[in-house]
Structures are given as structure tokens and as C-alpha cells.
Amino acid sequence: MMRGLFSLPALGVISALGLSGVALANEPDKAPPHQPWSFDGPLGQYDQGSLQRGFVVYQRVCSTCHGMRNLTYNDLAGIGLTQQQIAETAKAKPQAGTPDAMGQPTTRPGLPDDHLHSPFPSDAAAAAMMGGVAPPDQSRLAMTHPGGADWLYAFLTGYRMPPPADAPIVPGKFYNDWVAGHMIGMPPPLMNGMIQYPDGTPATVEQQARDITTFLVWASDPHRNERHSIGKAVMAYLAVLLALAIAWKRKIWKRLKTQ
């Protein structure tokens, strides 16, 4: 698939791409290498630049086959897009309109309140066009797959071309370190320089994989920054209360000792 993050040739794998059915290499209990993510830990925050680059990857690579029905274009304010950018992005994605006087389907420009455009009118249509299995929605992909962000990154960077010398040769299959049996029907979705980032960041496979993974994690948990900011404020408030309590205790004991 040069057009979608999890696309057409991988239909046997895609069927599970809530991804629960894709084992980790030949060792199902093997954990992917942990990557340093800005959003890790109780105080982690999404990197806004990475989120915006990840949306570029989604738009130009993944959205040809995958929708994100749980997100509206207005939600993209959470990755730092302006209202004008949101309106322009939505407008460029036509949506189904009301049937005309003859009952024929129509389209209209997308609106900021619309959900992210799906490449297919329905799951049934997607399955019919993609060999029997509809490409999964990506809204909750990072949350539903057990390996989460680390697995997504490992999978996207786990293709080996050419494959190892001892790998079986299977026509139409590609070698990946992070799928069962190491063979998958989906070609590598990312290539060095296949897109250009507006901010000038070099679009290596590793960078694209990191950015789209960050965007998919955000899509599955868009309010993490707000929660963590509230958590920091609460911890600071509790620290102040603790300091006051200690100071008050010392004052009381000092008084008692002088009596």
C-alpha cells in the first residue's frame, strides 16, 4: 500500500486491525522496543509539531483507505490548527448531501462540524471494494491495540527490504519483524521523502512513523494534555497545602515547647 497506512493488499491482516489479531513476530509475548514519547507518563504532553506532521501523514497517506469517524474537523483545533485551516481542510473533503429532486445522490463542501471524511460511503461498500474486508477506522487504533504506540512505530519501521537471507520467498508478501510469521501482504506504507512537511522536517520513514503514531495516540485520547495540565495544577496546589501544614505544625510545636 503506497496509499494507506493499512491498506488493500493486507486484507488478511487488516481484518484484525483493531489489530488485536496481529501477533508480534513469532513471539506473541514479545514487547516492542519502548520509544521515548513526549506524551509518556503522568506529566507527558503531546508535541504539537509532531501532531501536525502526523496529520499531514494521515491526510496524504492513510486517509485514502481509512476514516476517523470519531473526530470532527473542529477537533483538529486540539493539534493547533486555526479556524481558517480547519474550514479549508473540511471544505476540501466533499460530504454526502441531500438527494436532488430526482432522488440522485449529491455532494456538498465539508463543514468544520463534519466528521473526518471517510473514503467509502459505508463499511459494506469498503469491504466490497477492498476484497471483502473493510479497512478499520483509525480513531481508536492506538488505544485498542495491546502494543499501543510502541507497536505501531515498530510495525511501521519493521519492514526489511530486502528480507533476511533465510526468509521464505512468498509472492505478494513482504517481510516485517512485527507480524506473525514475519510475512504480510501490505507493502511498506512509508518511504523516505514520500511527503514534504510544511515545517521542513526531513520526512524519513522513522520520522513519519513517529509523527503518525503520535497523531493516532492523540486521536484516541485527545484530552490528555488538558488532564495532565490539571494534574500538574492539583499537585502544585497540594504541595502548597503541605508546605502550609508543615509550617503551621512547626509553629504550634514551637509554642508548646516554650510554655
Side-chain angles (χ1 to χ4, degrees), residues 225-241:
N225 278 6
E226 290 85 345
R227 286 202 316 276
H228 287 186
S229 293
I230 291 172
K232 290 177 184 178
V234 169
M235 293 301 293
Y237 177 70
L238 292 176
V240 170
L241 287 183

Side-chain angles (χ1 to χ4, degrees), residues 110-121:
L111 299 171
D113 286 336
D114 288 327
H115 289 265
L116 264 63
H117 177 73
S118 173
F120 304 103

Side-chain angles (χ1 to χ4, degrees), residues 62-249:
C62 313
S63 65
T64 1
C65 297
H66 300 271
M68 284 190 134
R69 65 174 63 95
N70 290 332
L71 289 180
T72 68
Y73 290 98
N74 270 328
D75 289 329
L76 296 174
I79 68 171
L81 267 61
T82 66
Q83 286 303 309
Q84 181 178 352
Q85 290 172 321
I86 290 170
E88 291 173 353
T89 300
K91 185 177 181 180
K93 298 292 184 179
Q95 302 284 338
T98 55
D100 63 18
M102 301 297 292
Q104 297 300 309
T106 64
T107 60
R108 60 168 176 79
L111 299 171
D113 286 336
D114 288 327
H115 289 265
L116 264 63
H117 177 73
S118 173
F120 304 103
S122 67
D123 286 345
M129 296 177 68
M130 300 292 279
V133 181
D137 183 84
Q138 292 188 331
S139 305
R140 298 291 180 263
L141 186 60
M143 181 180 292
T144 56
H145 190 275
D150 289 335
W151 189 88
L152 287 171
Y153 180 85
F155 171 74
L156 291 169
T157 58
Y159 285 90
R160 295 174 65 181
M161 298 180 67
D166 58 349
I169 304 299
V170 182
K173 299 289 184 180
F174 299 84
Y175 188 95
N176 189 294
D177 286 328
W178 293 94
V179 297
H182 297 299
M183 304 306 292
I184 184 172
M186 181 176 70
L190 305 175
M191 296 183 296
N192 288 326
M194 68 184 296
I195 61 175
Q196 288 188 336
Y197 283 135
D199 65 2
T201 299
T204 62
V205 167
E206 292 76 15
Q207 186 66 55
Q208 292 173 67
R210 181 167 295 279
D211 293 334
I212 185 59
T213 297
T214 299
F215 178 72
L216 293 178
V217 172
W218 171 84
S220 68
D221 187 10
H223 303 296
R224 184 179 302 203
N225 278 6
E226 290 85 345
R227 286 202 316 276
H228 287 186
S229 293
I230 291 172
K232 290 177 184 178
V234 169
M235 293 301 293
Y237 177 70
L238 292 176
V240 170
L241 287 183
L242 178 62
L244 290 174
I246 292 173
W248 182 251
K249 177 184 175 182

